[in-house]
Amino acid sequence: MRVNENHRLVADNGRLVPFELTNNKGAQFGSGRPSHLIMHYTAGGTADGAISWFRNRESEASAHLVIDHIGAITQMVPFNTVAWHAGRSSWRNLVGMNQYAIGIEIVNWGLLNGEPGNWRNRVGGRVPDERVIRARHKNFDPSTMHGWEIFEQAQMEAALLAASAIVKHYGIPEQNLLGHDDVSPGRKQDPGPAFNLERFRAQLYGRSSDSDNLFKVVSGTGLTLRAGPGVSFNAIEMLKDGSLVRQIGADGVWFEVNPVITGAPQDKIGWVHSRWLEAA
């Protein structure tokens, strides 16, 4: 992907990604170009719903890009123009991040209510356990676990491609890639712990990180390491609660991992359900 001279996102086939213009936007950035990139989740279930909301004047909200569950990207505001995605926000010496940042919204319910077997989204709809990861939010009480809807691999790949084109075209530095929960702490919690921002940052800027894919087992009873991504595969061993694993691959909600002992991965490799992991 790339960004063209009209501040539109161009797909690898040379065609512009679909564009749904919204009037919920401001003037061009004061500097003529964005200096930051902020990641969000929509807190909804469909791209059509998010796009319709962002086109509704009463919402007083919008974003530059919306990414669907299947990785389809829709642009709504040119990248040199202010969109209304950050609201009351600040970062370091900047106040009002809409004036500085591109916003990417990924379709995802985000923070859920309930418990295993009865997870509910913000409008009361049921979310199956296989689409949920339990994790702590960096801005919440550290003793409290919450349910979060997982992000699809297709969404993450699309977000990475789009963000890569944006940061390359506008020269956005690594430290200026942020989450909404960074610039509006206490008011917003997206993209949340199901979106590993540190790992995304490392992938985006082409560096490795020893900690961005390290997870702790938090099942309460231990977690089965299996020979493949599903309960039909043979068990290899039981991982104790609190033990560490390093993710090396993924198949949906199943993570391919190395168990870790004193900071060094073992030789064995297996698969675990990500629902029972949290970022270490």
Side-chain angles (χ1 to χ4, degrees):
M1 290 187 176
R2 63 182 179 87
V3 176
N4 71 10
E5 65 278 3
N6 294 319
H7 306 279
R8 295 278 302 278
L9 187 62
V10 182
D12 290 338
N13 62 9
R15 297 181 179 179
L16 295 170
V17 302
F19 192 88
E20 294 281 350
L21 180 64
T22 176
N23 289 319
N24 295 349
K25 56 185 175 63
Q28 292 186 6
F29 291 111
S31 64
R33 58 195 298 119
S35 58
H36 292 67
L37 174 61
I38 298 177
M39 307 303 296
H40 306 255
Y41 60 59
T42 61
T46 68
D48 287 344
I51 291 167
S52 177
W53 180 243
F54 290 153
R55 295 187 69 183
N56 184 339
R57 187 69 180 187
E58 293 183 4
S59 74
E60 297 184 340
S62 64
H64 292 89
L65 298 180
V66 176
I67 301 179
D68 202 350
H69 283 291
I70 61 173
I73 300 174
T74 301
Q75 186 167 359
M76 302 195 71
V77 178
F79 294 135
N80 67 333
T81 301
V82 171
W84 300 343
H85 57 96
R88 298 191 309 277
S89 54
S90 62
W91 183 249
R92 296 178 178 172
N93 63 335
L94 302 178
V95 177
M97 294 305 295
N98 285 340
Q99 305 299 318
Y100 308 97
I102 287 175
I104 296 180
E105 292 269 2
I106 305 176
V107 176
N108 183 280
W109 284 110
L111 179 62
L112 303 172
N113 299 311
E115 58 188 12
N118 189 33
W119 294 112
R120 302 283 176 170
N121 60 40
R122 68 181 182 86
V123 296
R126 188 79 172 265
V127 180
D129 283 1
E130 60 267 23
R131 293 199 51 79
V132 180
I133 184 171
R134 293 175 69 245
R136 294 177 175 86
H137 192 286
K138 61 186 179 183
N139 295 337
F140 290 5
D141 180 346
S143 66
T144 305
M145 300 278 285
H146 295 276
W148 306 83
E149 186 182 23
I150 64 165
F151 290 84
E152 304 286 356
Q153 185 173 348
Q155 291 178 305
M156 298 302 294
E157 292 174 352
L160 190 61
L161 289 171
S164 179
I166 290 166
V167 301
K168 180 178 180 180
H169 187 84
Y170 297 106
I172 296 175
E174 182 175 345
Q175 65 269 24
N176 289 359
L177 170 66
L178 304 167
H180 200 181
D181 47 12
D182 291 317
V183 301
S184 300
R187 190 176 70 85
K188 294 292 182 177
Q189 53 270 341
D190 56 311
F195 186 97
N196 191 326
L197 188 63
E198 287 306 313
R199 185 179 188 199
F200 187 79
R201 181 180 285 115
Q203 293 174 320
L204 181 59
Y205 288 92
R207 61 173 175 80
S208 61
S209 171
D210 292 333
S211 61
D212 62 0
N213 59 350
L214 193 65
F215 293 85
K216 181 170 65 174
V217 176
V218 291
S219 69
T221 58
L223 181 61
T224 303
L225 183 71
R226 296 187 178 275
V231 295
S232 62
F233 290 90
N234 292 335
I236 298 174
E237 70 173 90
M238 181 66 72
L239 303 176
K240 295 180 179 179
D241 247 32
S243 61
L244 299 179
V245 297
R246 193 176 303 282
Q247 183 190 4
I248 59 176
D251 185 352
V253 297
W254 287 85
F255 284 5
E256 186 180 20
V257 299
N258 279 138
V260 175
I261 296 180
T262 62
Q266 298 183 47
D267 291 335
K268 65 169 62 77
I269 294 173
W271 293 81
V272 295
H273 197 293
S274 61
R275 170 187 169 193
W276 305 114
L277 300 176
E278 68 173 50

